[in-house]
Amino acid sequence: MFGLLDINNFYCNCESVFQPKLQGKPVVVLSNNDGCIISRSAEAKALGFQMGDPYFQVKEELERHKAHVFSSNYPLYGDMSRRVMYCLAQTAPEVEIYSIDEAFMDLHGMERYCGSLDTFARNLRAKVLKRTGLPNCVGVAPTKTLAKLANRIAKKNPEHQGVVYLDTEERRRWALEQVAVEDVWGVGRQYAQTLTAAGIYTAAELAACADSFARKHLGGVVGARLVRELQGYSCQGLAPSEDGTLRRQSICCSRTFGQALSSFDDVLGAVATFLSRGAEKLRKQGDAAHILTIFISKSRYGLEPPPYSFSAVVTLPVATSDTSELLAQARAALSAMWQPGRYVKAGIVLDGLEPAGQVQLSLFCAEPPSEKRSQIMAEMDALNRRFGKNTVRLATAVPAPGLEVAPWTAKAAWKTPAYTTRFKDLLWVKS
């Protein structure tokens, strides 16, 4: 048996935990730069606000309904997610973190220790709610796809009190009848159109498909596995990690600027900031990268003619996680592709990851990577962990003298404090 625990309206409920007055009110959280809606409370959903609605288009409607609007606060959401996953790791033998707000659990053999898995799931749901204040739903089923489907039914139907357990063939068939084919995990918009054109509208009808049909119309063996999972045959195992986080195969860090930038130094400062963050993640998981991609973008809605995006890919002679070495390459790549204009976005991608202690040396490399440089990077990371983010950083990433806020900083007009990760933002309780 597999379980899937999913936090309801995660971003909105993270805000409600520290502001109980928001409970029962329409709440929305906006994307970077306060661009569009990325999370809605149940009350906001009931009013018709959709995921991806541009804020400027629904601003008056939000004000008319007295909805509470927040900028995204990822330090807070990330820390609340860590607390949820820690709670799951203490309870289930194996956990796969699927996204920031949901995780699969391997529950095989748990009946021997916990009795009914329905009771186990209800206790787990209550435990997460008590420890974090975040409401959640749990689906339990013989396969991961069915667990996802069960979780969806639990979330959409309050009468199940947050838990759906598909323990029998009758319950599996009942659940498949409840879900439209486009809502099945693994069926995207394009496949949904193909299936509805073929007269398949529900998960039950998809589960009854022939293997040959699935292979022909749903991407070969992947589609065949999807149908078998819906039939109750497990084809996907868990992908847990020892440290509780999924190891990244590549690292991307990009942001849309709070204002358009036309100065090379300002754009380079943004790239240096993003690169520093990416290199820190790289060192945290003990890897080095030998492929570096830099990209910058102009606004597609301005007066400037296309092209709007420029990118450069640099293959490093020896993989490295040294921020200054990566920045030297990034600076050269950015200089080569730079054109005058107003840029609204930049980003970096670190790829071709190798274990930092086992990198492939170049035939023409005079010396192996310096241990002293690695030690400097380790000391810098330690200082930033101890005294706060960006306490020590490269000069290129520091705003020009006289600027309190970097010109590439994203807009966040309604960002709440980092209640759990910044000492000065801790809530005070007066009696």
Side-chain angles (χ1 to χ4, degrees):
M1 284 288 179
F2 293 93
L4 175 69
L5 183 140
D6 185 18
I7 305 296
N8 303 341
N9 313 319
F10 181 58
Y11 294 172
C12 288
N13 278 316
C14 284
E15 302 290 350
S16 299
V17 167
F18 298 95
Q19 299 187 62
K21 66 179 181 182
L22 298 177
Q23 294 177 4
K25 306 282 180 62
V27 179
V28 299
V29 175
L30 304 178
S31 62
N32 287 330
N33 267 315
D34 298 336
C36 58
I37 295 175
I38 56 172
S39 182
R40 304 159 293 158
S41 67
E43 293 75 17
K45 292 177 184 176
L47 291 172
F49 295 106
Q50 302 295 321
M51 290 287 285
D53 277 348
Y55 174 65
F56 75 91
Q57 288 185 356
V58 296
K59 179 181 177 182
E60 293 183 359
E61 191 73 6
L62 288 167
E63 291 175 349
R64 190 166 70 82
H65 291 289
K66 298 181 179 178
H68 297 265
V69 179
F70 294 96
S71 304
S72 47
N73 186 348
Y74 293 114
L76 174 66
Y77 308 152
D79 186 65
M80 294 300 288
S81 173
R82 183 187 61 79
R83 293 170 187 235
V84 171
M85 301 309 168
Y86 179 73
C87 183
L88 298 185
Q90 284 186 317
T91 308
E94 284 189 308
V95 176
E96 175 189 340
I97 302 173
Y98 182 66
S99 67
I100 192 171
D101 62 344
E102 60 183 328
F104 287 102
M105 295 164 286
D106 186 351
L107 305 181
H108 290 87
M110 290 295 288
E111 297 96 328
R112 185 183 308 171
Y113 306 102
C114 305
S116 167
L117 290 183
D118 183 77
T119 304
F120 171 83
R122 294 186 188 282
N123 291 338
L124 177 62
R125 180 172 182 267
K127 182 179 178 180
V128 171
L129 178 61
K130 183 178 180 181
R131 286 195 177 186
T132 65
L134 296 171
N136 59 87
C137 290
V138 182
V140 181
T143 71
K144 290 175 71 175
T145 304
L146 285 173
K148 186 89 172 172
L149 188 139
N151 185 283
R152 180 180 179 82
I153 296 173
K155 188 174 290 187
K156 297 290 182 183
N157 302 278
E159 64 270 22
H160 297 299
Q161 299 181 338
V163 174
V164 168
Y165 178 28
L166 305 182
D167 56 335
T168 63
E169 182 63 16
E170 290 72 21
R171 293 279 293 171
R172 183 186 71 83
R173 292 178 180 174
W174 164 82
L176 292 175
E177 293 287 352
Q178 310 299 310
V179 177
V181 70
E182 61 265 27
D183 294 328
V184 173
W185 185 43
V187 176
R189 182 180 302 175
Q190 186 175 353
Y191 284 145
Q193 291 176 351
T194 303
L195 291 170
T196 52
I200 298 172
Y201 298 99
T202 68
E205 292 170 336
L206 179 59
C209 284
D211 182 77
S212 58
F213 177 89
R215 287 177 181 269
K216 182 177 180 180
H217 297 286
L218 290 175
V221 68
V222 176
R225 285 177 182 165
L226 170 61
V227 172
R228 294 290 284 173
E229 286 251 320
L230 290 176
Q231 292 171 347
Y233 300 99
S234 179
C235 301
Q236 302 182 65
L238 242 57
S241 59
E242 294 179 357
D243 59 357
T245 60
L246 292 178
R247 193 177 189 83
R248 299 177 176 87
Q249 301 301 313
S250 66
I251 294 174
C252 176
C253 188
S254 66
R255 296 285 187 279
T256 301
F257 307 144
Q259 57 182 310
L261 302 178
S262 56
S263 163
F264 176 83
D265 289 341
D266 286 343
V267 176
L268 178 61
V271 170
T273 302
F274 305 152
L275 190 61
S276 299
R277 180 63 182 145
E280 187 180 341
K281 291 180 180 179
L282 195 64
R283 293 190 293 271
K284 188 175 182 180
Q285 70 175 27
D287 280 340
H290 73 259
I291 298 176
L292 169 64
T293 302
I294 309 292
F295 59 90
I296 51 177
S297 302
K298 298 178 181 177
S299 172
R300 295 177 181 272
Y301 306 103
L303 299 177
E304 295 184 59
Y308 301 111
S309 296
F310 307 87
S311 64
V313 180
V314 181
T315 301
L316 306 175
V318 179
T320 181
S321 61
D322 189 318
T323 306
S324 58
E325 289 183 22
L326 290 168
L327 181 58
Q329 299 287 347
R331 184 194 298 269
L334 187 61
S335 300
M337 66 179 175
W338 178 261
Q339 295 181 11
R342 292 167 59 80
Y343 293 89
V344 297
K345 183 178 181 179
I348 62 97
V349 180
L350 296 168
D351 217 331
L353 306 190
E354 303 173 10
Q358 306 170 30
V359 297
Q360 178 67 50
L361 299 179
S362 168
L363 178 63
F364 305 103
C365 182
E367 296 179 358
S370 168
E371 286 292 330
K372 187 176 180 180
R373 292 292 312 171
S374 300
Q375 186 61 34
I376 291 174
M377 291 296 108
E379 294 293 343
M380 185 171 74
D381 292 342
L383 287 170
N384 285 331
R385 281 196 302 272
R386 180 176 180 182
F387 297 106
K389 188 177 175 183
N390 291 330
T391 299
V392 181
R393 49 186 160 165
L394 299 183
T396 308
V398 178
L403 292 179
E404 294 184 2
V405 179
W408 56 86
T409 302
K411 295 177 183 174
W414 304 283
K415 187 176 181 180
T416 51
Y419 299 106
T420 60
T421 54
R422 189 180 301 148
F423 195 80
K424 67 178 182 181
D425 290 345
L426 287 176
L427 292 175
W428 287 82
V429 179
K430 298 179 180 179
S431 61

